[in-house]
């Protein structure tokens, strides 16, 4: 895969909400990306599942 294809795949995965798959795909192609790796990595949101669960619970409390 070339850099543009890798970037597009990461964008697609992030757009679908597949952050863990996007991170794994990015790590798998780290050597192919060179300087673009860090920029793409910063593009993927860090989601703490515990924190997200707490926010959802708080939303439904009266």
């Amino acid at each position: 895969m070339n850099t543009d294809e890798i970037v597009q795949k990461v964008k697609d995965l992030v757009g679908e909400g597949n952050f863990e798959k996007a991170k794994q795909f990015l790590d798998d192609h780290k050597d192919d990306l060179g300087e673009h790796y860090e920029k793409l990595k910063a593009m993927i949101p860090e989601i703490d599942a515990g924190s997200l669960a707490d926010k959802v619970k708080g939303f439904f409390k009266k």
Side-chain angles (χ1 to χ4, degrees):
M1 293 183 99
N2 67 35
T3 302
D4 293 335
E5 292 170 329
I6 296 169
V7 169
Q8 188 58 51
K9 179 68 174 176
V10 170
K11 286 181 180 180
D12 291 345
L13 289 168
V14 168
E16 295 168 0
N18 294 322
F19 304 122
E20 289 303 317
K21 286 183 181 180
K23 287 179 192 177
Q24 184 60 50
F25 183 81
L26 190 59
D27 286 341
D28 291 346
H29 292 88
K30 182 178 182 177
D31 294 336
D32 300 328
L33 290 167
E35 64 187 47
H36 300 287
Y37 174 78
E38 289 299 325
K39 292 177 187 176
L40 284 170
K41 186 176 178 183
M43 200 176 95
I44 302 173
E46 292 291 328
I47 294 185
D48 177 5
S51 175
L52 183 60
D54 291 342
K55 288 178 185 177
V56 170
K57 286 179 191 174
F59 181 73
F60 290 106
K61 288 183 181 179
K62 291 182 179 183

